[in-house]
Amino acid sequence: GRQIVRSYDQAPGLFAVSRFDPDTGAEYLIAFNTAAKPITGNILIETSSLEFAALLGACPVSAQAPGSLSITLPAFGSAVCMAKPQSKTDNP
């Protein structure tokens, strides 16, 4: 599916990409800490991605604000976060 680089730096730190399921359009955020110390950062996400489930590592339960997810990773840690689909009553 489609992939978007969400965060990167030339120095060790936060690297994140979003992958999208080609059938459902669901966003999967994959984040890596390439540094030898814990890191917290805000990552741009789709504005429709509001709630998340952790598939690997620790993921926030919900977006900080529409279009922004705050994530904390341990040294050399990673996380895979799946955006939960919005119900029809949540998004008329």
Side-chain angles (χ1 to χ4, degrees):
R2 182 171 63 105
Q3 176 174 302
I4 299 173
V5 176
R6 296 295 194 178
S7 178
Y8 71 94
D9 199 348
Q10 296 298 322
L14 184 61
F15 175 74
V17 297
S18 286
R19 298 281 314 220
F20 297 88
D21 184 298
D23 295 325
T24 66
E27 181 172 10
Y28 292 79
L29 180 74
I30 302 120
F32 302 93
N33 179 2
T34 62
K37 60 183 180 179
I39 193 167
T40 297
N42 291 323
I43 301 171
L44 292 175
I45 55 172
E46 297 297 305
T47 56
S48 60
S49 297
L50 300 174
E51 296 181 338
F52 290 84
L55 300 180
L56 173 73
C59 294
V61 173
S62 60
Q64 188 79 5
S68 180
L69 188 71
S70 179
I71 193 163
T72 300
L73 296 171
F76 303 113
S78 59
V80 178
C81 309
M82 178 187 73
K84 294 180 181 178
Q86 295 297 303
S87 70
K88 298 219 186 284
T89 58
D90 291 341
N91 193 8

